[in-house]
Amino acid sequence: MISASAKIHPSSIVEDGASIGDNVSVGPFCHIGSRVTLADNIEVMSHVSILGRTTIGAGTRVFPGAVLGAEPQNVHYKGEDTELIIGSGCTIREGVTMHTGMPDAGGKTKVGDNSLFLAYSHVAHDCHIGSNVILSNNVMLGGHVVVGDRVIMGGGAAAHQFCRIGHHAFVGGLAACSNDVIPYGMLNGNPGILGGLNVIGMTRSGISKSDIHAVRRVYKMLFSGDAPINEVLKRIKPEYQGVEVLEDLFEFIEADSHRGLSSAAKARRN
């Protein structure tokens, strides 16, 4: 169904079955597949392909050359019905690619609200991206990567499949995330080395100075010594019960992981 208020350029193809909301604009030479749902007030510029079972939230802007909802780049994909879900208010710049999921991993690639994807960044199958995220030019996410809210990744950074990048983390340009990055962490280099905390990002998000100081104290205790991080965490965790800003950090460290944690300690061993 195409809303009467939608504007579709005559050179574009919208397949039967697509759902196009109010005040949607589709520019020239675009291809909108039959299982695509575009919410209200979306702008799709020229030469954009939106394929597969893809849903895009209201107010998102898609710049020329983007390909959204194509099949996963995975040799095990056999045409199963999987999907891509993109939130509201996102900006998707030139040449960005986002793929649908794999059936053995839930079948969904998800992107939150108000995120910015700069030119030629790539979101692979089964990634789960939070809200208010920025992926700079040429950022590459392998399959199954989880990116928390308010993460910023610099140009050319890459994340190995199954990596987790915690909320409010900062990943520098050309950095390689081979292991998980803790919430609030700041990763640089190849291989990626945890070099401190994203204090600027925390401040901009409205986190109080007292909470920032609490995270700093815990960070130093976790990563400055030679003892295993989980042992240190067990020792200090009771002291910080009820400190909300640390709860996600503790849960992140204790959660099961395919990749292990990035840490400054790894730099000393290399």
Side-chain angles (χ1 to χ4, degrees), residues 9-154:
H9 193 277
S11 67
S12 287
I13 296 173
V14 178
E15 296 182 7
D16 291 342
S19 177
I20 310 295
D22 294 339
N23 301 311
V24 169
S25 171
V26 177
F29 304 107
C30 295
H31 179 195
I32 311 297
S34 62
R35 295 182 296 161
V36 170
T37 299
L38 302 182
D40 299 341
N41 302 308
I42 288 174
E43 181 182 7
V44 179
M45 301 182 194
S46 69
H47 299 84
V48 172
S49 294
I50 306 178
L51 311 169
R53 185 147 62 95
T54 296
T55 301
I56 303 181
T60 289
R61 303 175 71 211
V62 185
F63 280 68
V67 180
L68 308 176
E71 295 180 357
Q73 296 179 138
N74 189 311
V75 297
H76 301 294
Y77 180 73
K78 304 301 181 185
E80 296 91 347
D81 184 21
T82 57
E83 65 182 311
L84 168 66
I85 302 169
I86 300 172
S88 301
C90 292
T91 299
I92 299 170
R93 294 301 305 248
E94 297 84 353
V96 169
T97 50
M98 299 183 183
H99 294 163
T100 58
M102 287 290 293
D104 59 351
K108 293 182 180 181
T109 303
K110 294 183 178 180
V111 172
D113 300 331
N114 303 312
S115 290
L116 172 60
F117 300 87
L118 297 187
Y120 303 101
S121 54
H122 173 65
V123 177
H125 61 87
D126 303 291
C127 287
H128 287 189
I129 313 297
S131 296
N132 300 294
V133 169
I134 299 175
L135 300 191
S136 299
N137 297 62
N138 300 300
V139 167
M140 298 171 287
L141 302 183
H144 310 276
V145 170
V146 177
V147 179
D149 294 344
R150 296 188 178 277
V151 166
I152 297 175
M153 298 185 70

Side-chain angles (χ1 to χ4, degrees), residues 158-179:
H160 191 285
Q161 62 252 40
F162 292 101
C163 274
R164 299 176 301 147
I165 302 175
H167 61 82
H168 291 88
F170 177 87
V171 178
L174 302 177
C177 298
S178 299
N179 296 288

Side-chain angles (χ1 to χ4, degrees), residues 233-270:
L233 181 59
K234 287 179 182 178
R235 186 172 70 248
I236 68 174
K237 188 176 177 181
E239 180 182 349
Y240 291 94
Q241 288 291 337
V243 181
E244 185 176 352
V245 74
L246 292 171
E247 289 177 356
D248 288 344
L249 175 60
F250 295 157
E251 289 176 5
F252 187 95
I253 294 171
E254 292 176 326
D256 292 335
S257 171
H258 292 270
R259 302 299 307 168
L261 289 178
S262 298
S263 73
K266 287 182 171 60
R268 292 198 295 270
R269 290 197 294 267
N270 289 338

